[in-house]
Amino acid sequence: MNQLPETMPAVAYRKSLPVDDAESLLDTTLPVPQPGPRDLLVRVEAVAVNPVDYKIRQSNDPGGEPKVLGWDAAGTVVAVGAEVESFQVGDEVFYAGALDRPGANSLYHAVDERIVGHKPASLSFAEAAALPLTSLTAWEGLFEHLGLHTDALKQSGTLLVTAAAGGVGAMVSQLARALTSLTVIGTASRPETVEFARRMGAAHIVDHRRPLAPQVREVAPDGVDFVFGTTGTEQNLAAYADIVRPFGRIVAIDDFGSVEIGLLKSKSISFHWEFMFTRSLHRTADQAEQGRILDQIARLVDAGILTTTATTDLGKITAANLREAHRVLESGKAIGKITMTGF
């Protein structure tokens, strides 16, 4: 730590403001964090932006104190805590971090080694930064909550993925195509999102701006076995109750107030939440599973089985560029992932 500077550039916000306000995100200088016993100190080379960033900016007012966002990063380990076991200085890593710690929109970032993976060697830092949060969300949703198998010979059926051109939807489709024999039906509504969703692994596309159930029935007359809901769950639950087969499973990641869960009872359809930050927020005994998942994602990427979902790099990590990323995400028109590289 002696050779590192005492302060670092970062992007933070001090109060919740609309994204068009020049002070909604600010360039600033903060102290370089000190790594805890199980922490890595990472020099951040690239970040990606997710809806969680703008949702926290809008809803969590820090009362004038600088709060750093950013829960997708790739970089190089520059220091390690005394109890670190799996990494050393110089390792290239990628990770999503923890919601109850500062985000990664800073030159240096401290993160628990258990939720960190070794960066795919075949990807640039920006291409790698696009993957952690969505890959973990997709993997946990598919293989932990929906109960699918990572062996194509053991799993068949049909999977509906909403917003299949989004960051999570694209990873869900890729993983389902690569590691199962499921038929993937994705939802998309614009020519460019339809094309991207197909490229990511959706065999069929239905338009989420039109009634869902009749379109799905045209593709899968007997219904679907699984639903991965990334958005619209509150509006779509009645459609799910219609199209999901008996004993099917639904996993959702979006935010809403309440749903009529009783609609699912007659078919014994199970409903699951997926929240990628649960393990780190609650310090679960299996936190290290996230590091193992990310290492598996890296192996699949380097083998050419999965690809990055990075679509737009806005340049340097600055307040202005992050405001633009937030603006695009808030519009609901993002395709894939938005990244930024370097300070």
Side-chain angles (χ1 to χ4, degrees):
M1 291 290 291
N2 294 335
Q3 297 180 355
L4 294 173
E6 294 183 356
T7 62
M8 62 180 179
V11 178
Y13 75 107
R14 293 180 179 272
K15 52 186 175 180
S16 296
L17 294 168
V19 71
D20 292 333
D21 191 309
E23 295 192 353
S24 60
L25 289 166
L26 300 164
D27 294 304
T28 189
T29 300
L30 296 173
V32 172
Q34 300 291 318
R38 294 298 300 271
D39 283 351
L40 311 176
L41 185 65
V42 177
R43 179 185 170 92
V44 175
E45 305 291 350
V47 298
V49 188
N50 295 283
V52 65
D53 295 63
Y54 78 74
K55 290 177 182 177
I56 290 177
R57 194 200 84 243
Q58 291 174 342
S59 64
N60 187 332
D61 194 310
E65 294 298 317
K67 183 175 178 63
V68 179
L69 304 169
W71 287 278
D72 255 338
T76 305
V77 177
V78 296
V80 298
E83 298 175 16
V84 166
E85 299 173 352
S86 301
F87 297 88
Q88 58 187 4
V89 172
D91 284 349
E92 295 182 350
V93 296
F94 73 143
Y95 57 90
L99 203 58
D100 57 348
R101 299 185 68 175
N105 293 336
S106 56
L107 182 57
Y108 296 99
H109 186 238
V111 60
D112 191 304
E113 68 160 337
R114 288 167 288 191
I115 58 174
V116 174
H118 295 83
K119 182 183 83 69
S122 59
L123 297 185
S124 69
F125 283 107
E127 291 169 333
L131 292 176
L133 186 147
T134 56
S135 296
L136 288 166
T137 300
W139 188 287
E140 291 177 357
L142 288 171
F143 303 119
E144 296 178 6
H145 303 311
L146 293 184
L148 303 179
H149 307 287
T150 57
D151 182 339
L153 298 178
K154 293 182 179 178
Q155 193 73 56
S156 61
T158 304
L159 168 70
L160 175 66
V161 183
T162 61
V168 173
M171 284 310 305
V172 171
S173 299
Q174 283 198 73
L175 285 168
R177 178 177 63 180
L179 302 180
T180 81
S181 55
L182 294 176
T183 298
V184 178
I185 303 172
T187 77
S189 60
R190 293 176 283 145
E192 58 270 31
T193 56
V194 168
E195 188 278 330
F196 187 74
R198 288 192 185 279
R199 183 150 52 89
M200 291 295 102
H204 306 280
I205 302 292
V206 297
D207 187 345
H208 46 231
R209 294 181 180 175
R210 296 166 46 210
L212 203 57
Q215 296 180 81
V216 172
R217 289 285 186 188
E218 288 182 12
V219 177
D222 295 329
V224 302
D225 301 279
F226 307 100
V227 173
F228 201 119
T230 68
T231 186
T233 301
E234 187 172 13
Q235 296 82 5
N236 291 331
L237 196 73
Y240 296 162
D242 177 4
I243 60 177
V244 176
R245 292 161 57 86
F247 306 106
R249 297 186 179 194
I250 300 167
V251 65
I253 67 169
D254 51 330
D255 299 312
F256 48 84
S258 62
V259 293
E260 293 184 57
I261 204 75
L263 293 171
L264 309 178
K265 182 177 180 179
S266 71
K267 290 185 177 177
S268 296
I269 298 168
S270 56
F271 184 94
H272 304 259
W273 284 109
E274 158 57 18
F275 187 52
M276 189 228 78
F277 295 110
T278 295
R279 282 181 160 120
S280 55
L281 272 175
H282 297 278
R283 309 292 191 266
T284 62
D286 66 346
Q287 281 187 82
E289 185 62 22
Q290 291 201 327
R292 288 190 287 270
I293 292 169
L294 288 174
D295 280 343
Q296 177 70 349
I297 294 294
R299 286 190 288 270
L300 291 167
V301 168
D302 287 338
I305 296 170
L306 299 178
T307 186
T308 183
T309 54
T311 53
T312 305
D313 191 278
L314 294 180
K316 297 295 184 182
I317 304 168
T318 66
N321 287 339
L322 280 162
R323 283 196 299 272
E324 173 61 12
H326 282 221
R327 186 192 65 76
V328 173
L329 286 171
E330 288 179 36
S331 77
K333 297 187 181 299
I335 301 174
K337 294 294 290 290
I338 299 171
T339 58
M340 272 152 274
T341 307
F343 278 86

